[in-house]
């Protein structure tokens, strides 16, 4: 019996959103597409988020992926950059969840490790390995699209493993896994 699934990988960003799609037929990967959404020309951060949502929905409605993999923002020193990346990731995630697509997040080091065997690999090393794995003739000028493709390939490599990252199968699962636990505390004396 032939098993087939399509995986959409996204590298969310507010300047460039990279994405890639692979088809997996009987555990063998086939390259479908990689590209990027250029957001540099837009000043309004809310317009950027709207465009990320709309493009992700368009990709889902066009290619009908069975699963979606996102590169999770890494923790940096710039809080504003983290906030922007988190919003971009959340909007892409919301698009997938609104179409009932299971979403999994992967840390950048995990993606690099899955593709190259080195969690500290450069973008260029990841792109070259993807070129070899998927038989890509050329690589794009910007490597954000290969980062999105790498998320999809990482997800394929991690399929069936016990712990692949954070998985969400819909809004209910997302809310349940991310709700903050409120612990009742006794008030301090004298307050």
């Amino acid at each position: 019996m032939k098993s087939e699934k399509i995986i959409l990988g996204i590298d969310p960003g507010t300047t460039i959103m990279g994405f890639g799609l692979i088809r997996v037929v009987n555990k063998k990967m086939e390259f479908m597409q990689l590209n990027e959404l250029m957001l540099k020309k837009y000043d309004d951060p809310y317009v950027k988020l709207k465009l990320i949502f709309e493009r992700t929905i368009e990709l889902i409605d066009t290619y009908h992926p069975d699963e979606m993999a996102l590169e999770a923002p890494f923790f940096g020193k710039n809080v504003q950059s983290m906030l922007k990346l988190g919003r971009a990731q959340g909007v892409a995630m919301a698009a997938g969840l609104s179409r009932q697509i299971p979403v999994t997040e992967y840390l950048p080091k995990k993606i690099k490790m899955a593709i190259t065997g080195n969690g500290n690999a450069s973008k260029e090393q990841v792109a070259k390995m993807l070129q070899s794995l998927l038989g890509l003739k050329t690589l794009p000028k910007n490597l954000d699209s290969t980062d999105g493709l790498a998320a999809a390939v990482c997800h394929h490599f991690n399929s069936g493993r016990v712990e692949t990252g954070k998985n969400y199968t819909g809004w209910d699962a997302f809310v349940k896994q991310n709700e903050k636990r409120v612990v009742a505390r006794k008030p301090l004396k004298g307050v």
Side-chain angles (χ1 to χ4, degrees):
M1 186 167 148
K2 192 175 190 178
S3 73
E4 181 176 328
K5 70 178 170 181
I6 294 173
I7 303 171
L8 168 61
I10 295 181
D11 177 23
T14 55
T15 306
I16 301 173
M17 178 185 93
F19 58 89
L21 288 128
I22 60 170
R23 176 180 289 114
V24 180
V25 180
N26 294 331
K27 298 188 180 186
K28 185 178 188 302
M29 289 185 298
E30 297 173 4
F31 169 74
M32 290 179 68
Q33 194 206 84
L34 79 155
N35 211 331
E36 52 203 21
L37 173 63
M38 301 301 287
L39 299 161
K40 292 176 186 176
K41 62 184 172 186
Y42 302 100
D43 293 327
D44 187 332
Y46 301 107
V47 168
K48 290 180 179 189
L49 295 175
K50 178 181 176 282
L51 292 170
I52 291 168
F53 184 85
E54 290 174 347
R55 182 63 174 131
T56 304
I57 289 290
E58 181 184 338
L59 288 166
I60 291 167
D61 291 348
T62 301
Y63 294 99
H64 308 287
D66 300 288
E67 298 170 2
M68 193 166 131
L70 290 170
E71 181 173 312
F74 56 92
F75 297 99
K77 292 180 182 179
N78 187 330
V79 175
Q80 287 300 315
S81 293
M82 282 296 301
L83 180 61
K84 289 175 186 175
L85 282 173
R87 286 177 174 170
Q89 181 195 26
V91 167
M93 184 184 292
L97 294 172
S98 75
R99 292 291 198 260
Q100 303 302 311
I101 307 294
V103 177
T104 304
E105 300 173 81
Y106 294 95
L107 293 172
K109 280 188 177 272
K110 178 143 184 149
I111 294 172
K112 291 175 182 181
M113 179 64 84
I115 305 302
T116 68
N118 176 1
N120 295 315
S122 68
K123 280 181 172 277
E124 293 78 14
Q125 289 170 319
V126 171
K128 283 289 190 188
M129 185 59 79
L130 287 171
Q131 186 175 27
S132 174
L133 285 169
L134 297 168
L136 305 176
K137 289 181 175 62
T138 59
L139 290 173
K141 181 181 173 187
N142 294 323
L143 297 180
D144 296 276
S145 56
T146 54
D147 286 350
L149 185 62
V153 172
C154 172
H155 184 67
H156 167 62
F157 286 161
N158 283 281
S159 292
R161 298 216 176 139
V162 175
E163 181 60 37
T164 60
K166 292 183 180 180
N167 291 305
Y168 309 113
T169 54
W171 282 113
D172 292 338
F174 177 81
V175 171
K176 188 173 182 178
Q177 289 183 32
N178 289 287
E179 65 188 351
K180 296 191 186 233
R181 300 191 189 282
V182 180
V183 179
R185 296 181 184 192
K186 293 180 183 177
L188 296 173
K189 290 183 181 178
V191 178

